Amino acid sequence: PASVMNERVNLVFKKHFVSNVLILKSSDKGWFRSLFVHKVDARKDAHSNLLSKKEISNLYKIQFHNVKPECLDAYNSLQTEVQTRLHRDQDYPCEVVGSWNTWYGEQDQAVHLWRYRGGYPALSDCLQKLRDNKEYLEFRKERAKMLISRQNQLLLEFSFWNEPLPREGPNIYELRTYNLKPGTMIEWGNRWARAIKYRQKNNEAVGGFFTQIGDLYVVHHLWAYESLQSREETRNSAWQQEGWDVNVYYTVPLIRHMESRIMIPTKSSPLQ
């Protein structure tokens, strides 16, 4: 009879349900338990140690100076004079990597990238010497009159990117800044370690960095192009290579915010 058949089906269902629940309770890997418990493997080291270059101990500082529009020319002249002196003085363990004015992006902005060979000790040594340098202190007072705001970040360079070295121009530079979701830097680095090969054919990759102090989980990619038209052609050519689309697919969800600056190098910038 149908009633007996239904009772048997119910008994079989109950038996299997109880059995499955017991299995799920005894295993952390069951799908039912995974709805409530999220297991995360502990990371073995800081992402700064896992992603940065081990063979060198370079520390970078990037400066963003928002200048009063009427003061930009005077600011550039003053900044160039002081930068050149510091860059050439062997007593100061710092060197200018590049200096730019933003062309497209935030207007009347100067961007400076410094390298400290020797890491944090070199940075501390340089700052201490500058505090005792009367000429530099006078320069800061004069510069302050020209600024609306300023911001610094300390950076490390990704191990798989080129070290930024002087290059001849004329070039325009693009600084692409990515604010990542906290905890995603390792995944970002792993993806870009594979993807950087797609962006090397035209020698456009200048440097890749991530923040250590300042806004955290921020990545800066620095690119060089002959022109805006060259930029468009170079970027479009990457999409013609098998594998580039996969990198974009997996890295876009890691981003909270992104920004692009097109920059023109100053006359004294080693990156022209």
Side-chain angles (χ1 to χ4, degrees):
S3 59
V4 174
M5 180 64 69
N6 288 337
E7 185 175 351
R8 287 179 178 176
V9 169
N10 287 335
L11 287 173
V12 171
F13 175 80
K14 288 179 181 179
K15 180 179 179 181
H16 281 281
F17 178 79
V18 171
S19 176
N20 287 335
V21 168
L22 290 175
I23 292 172
L24 289 170
K25 285 184 177 181
S26 65
S27 172
D28 288 343
K29 297 181 180 179
W31 68 268
F32 185 81
R33 183 180 178 84
S34 70
L35 296 177
F36 304 97
V37 179
H38 180 58
K39 295 184 68 178
V40 179
D41 292 330
R43 214 164 60 201
K44 302 301 182 183
D45 205 346
H47 68 246
S48 58
N49 292 331
L50 295 172
L51 295 173
S52 61
K53 295 180 179 178
K54 298 292 191 302
E55 68 276 11
I56 55 177
S57 55
N58 288 340
L59 181 68
Y60 291 82
K61 178 174 70 176
I62 192 167
Q63 298 176 303
F64 300 99
H65 290 174
N66 293 316
V67 185
K68 296 176 182 177
E70 68 274 15
C71 297
L72 187 58
D73 289 339
Y75 167 90
N76 284 336
S77 297
L78 184 63
Q79 186 76 26
T80 294
E81 179 185 350
V82 175
Q83 273 188 350
T84 302
R85 276 197 242 164
L86 287 176
H87 185 76
R88 293 175 179 173
D89 194 331
Q90 298 298 317
D91 288 337
Y92 291 88
C94 63
E95 55 189 356
V96 182
V97 177
S99 287
W100 304 268
N101 290 142
T102 300
W103 184 20
Y104 287 100
E106 194 161 354
Q107 295 296 283
D108 304 307
Q109 185 180 69
V111 180
H112 310 291
L113 183 63
W114 294 82
R115 181 191 290 117
Y116 297 86
R117 294 194 185 274
Y120 289 107
L123 173 67
S124 299
D125 182 30
C126 188
L127 292 179
Q128 184 59 50
K129 289 178 177 177
L130 290 175
R131 290 192 191 103
D132 298 330
N133 186 323
K134 292 182 179 180
E135 289 185 5
Y136 182 77
L137 295 178
E138 288 300 318
F139 154 72
R140 284 176 59 98
K141 289 180 182 179
E142 189 65 26
R143 186 185 65 182
K145 301 173 185 177
M146 306 176 184
L147 297 181
I148 298 172
S149 64
R150 58 196 180 98
Q151 180 189 14
N152 289 345
Q153 295 173 350
L154 291 181
L155 316 172
L156 295 177
E157 56 186 328
F158 284 110
S159 60
F160 48 86
W161 270 77
N162 308 331
E163 181 178 358
L165 299 174
R167 65 170 64 196
E168 296 180 355
N171 295 294
I172 63 171
Y173 289 80
E174 181 176 18
L175 183 67
R176 294 181 71 87
T177 300
Y178 304 89
N179 292 72
L180 304 184
K181 297 175 183 177
T184 61
M185 188 66 74
I186 295 294
E187 186 176 353
W188 178 275
N190 287 339
R191 288 291 169 186
W192 266 97
R194 302 184 186 99
I196 191 64
K197 64 183 179 181
Y198 300 109
R199 298 297 308 276
Q200 295 278 19
K201 288 189 175 181
N202 294 327
N203 196 32
E204 71 266 25
V206 178
F209 313 91
F210 58 97
T211 54
Q212 278 292 91
I213 296 177
D215 292 337
L216 298 180
Y217 285 96
V218 176
V219 170
H220 297 293
H221 290 176
L222 184 61
W223 309 92
Y225 304 101
E226 292 180 359
S227 64
L228 288 176
Q229 181 62 34
S230 171
R231 171 187 177 273
E232 181 179 11
E233 293 170 357
T234 299
R235 289 175 55 80
N236 286 342
S237 68
W239 287 98
Q240 308 307 314
Q241 301 180 62
E242 185 177 355
W244 173 251
D245 56 338
V246 175
N247 171 68
V248 174
Y249 177 83
Y250 282 106
T251 54
V252 165
L254 310 179
I255 301 170
R256 299 174 66 183
H257 174 73
M258 59 187 294
E259 182 179 2
S260 171
R261 291 176 176 85
I262 301 297
M263 309 184 301
I264 304 297
T266 61
K267 292 181 180 179
S268 62
S269 173
L271 287 169
Q272 285 294 311

